[in-house]
Amino acid sequence: MRPFRDYGNSSQQDSAMITPSILSPADCTPQALTDFEKLVIEGGTVDPQGLAQRIRNASRLLFLRESNGQLVGVGALKHPLLSYRAKVFAKARATTPPDEYCVELGWVAVAKSHQGRGLSLRIIDQLISLAENENVFATTRADARAMRFAVEYGLKPAGKPYPSGRGYDLVLYLRDARRASGGSVK
């Protein structure tokens, strides 16, 4: 993958090259896995209990690093068990069968120092590209910003918002690979 330049806020970091790398967890160093976990936890939207093991069970991990090696963003593609998918789809009261959506997009987190620069969209773009021929689901906070990005990537809300247990509601989004490949997603 080619690096991309961050043209966000005007600061000295604007000229830093940000390079994505996508690896299977087995190909990551222990430190890389720890750094990934730390950034996800700092995002505050994921239960940290058992997170390290869930990260090791992911399909692909995406790391965004500046040229100096600083980790500034992460995301993942996961293949969760049907029991987990069924629970999420039931909480959302989605009518779509969870067995049709085996890939989950998640753990998209950007370091606080780099937020507001569109990096989360770049993470999502890279990961969606990897799963272009697969149905994908994701959950995120119920807010207008999340809804804007979701549509750009062919993700549509399914069911109803439901309590996260962390003080905000979640929305289930689905991306049907057949519909997404039938036309321009972005």
Side-chain angles (χ1 to χ4, degrees):
M1 284 180 211
R2 35 179 240 263
F4 50 82
R5 206 168 272 286
D6 176 12
Y7 291 106
N9 301 336
S10 57
S11 75
Q12 64 187 166
Q13 305 206 1
D14 280 343
S15 62
M17 291 296 286
I18 303 212
T19 306
S21 57
I22 300 174
L23 303 165
S24 73
D27 293 333
C28 295
T29 66
Q31 186 61 54
L33 293 172
T34 298
D35 293 346
F36 186 102
E37 180 182 11
K38 182 179 177 205
L39 196 52
V40 170
I41 290 171
E42 286 173 6
T45 60
V46 175
D47 182 359
Q49 182 70 32
L51 180 60
Q53 185 59 49
R54 292 193 313 270
I55 290 169
R56 284 191 283 283
N57 292 340
S59 173
R60 292 281 182 264
L61 302 176
L62 182 142
F63 298 83
L64 285 184
R65 293 190 185 275
E66 289 186 326
S67 56
N68 65 5
Q70 179 186 354
L71 184 63
V72 297
V74 296
L77 288 178
K78 308 176 266 183
H79 287 93
L81 297 173
L82 179 57
S83 58
Y84 168 79
R85 290 182 277 139
K87 184 171 77 171
V88 169
F89 281 55
K91 284 182 182 178
R93 292 179 272 159
T95 57
T96 306
D99 60 343
E100 293 181 13
Y101 288 82
C102 298
V103 177
E104 181 182 16
L105 169 70
W107 300 326
V108 176
V110 174
K112 288 186 184 353
S113 61
H114 286 69
Q115 290 179 358
R117 301 179 187 194
L119 295 179
S120 60
L121 295 177
R122 292 177 179 172
I123 293 167
I124 293 164
D125 184 57
Q126 297 267 321
L127 292 171
I128 288 286
S129 294
L130 278 179
E132 68 182 330
N133 296 320
E134 300 179 78
N135 291 340
V136 176
F137 78 98
T139 58
T140 191
R141 288 180 188 243
D143 67 25
R145 188 180 65 144
M147 295 183 114
R148 279 194 309 270
F149 89 75
V151 172
E152 290 181 35
Y153 294 97
L155 293 154
K156 295 183 176 155
K160 307 274 184 207
Y162 63 95
S164 68
R166 296 173 135 328
Y168 52 85
D169 285 348
L170 291 173
V171 175
L172 171 65
Y173 288 91
L174 304 178
R175 180 183 165 279
D176 184 325
R178 293 172 306 220
R179 287 192 199 142
S181 64
S184 175
V185 175
K186 296 180 272 175

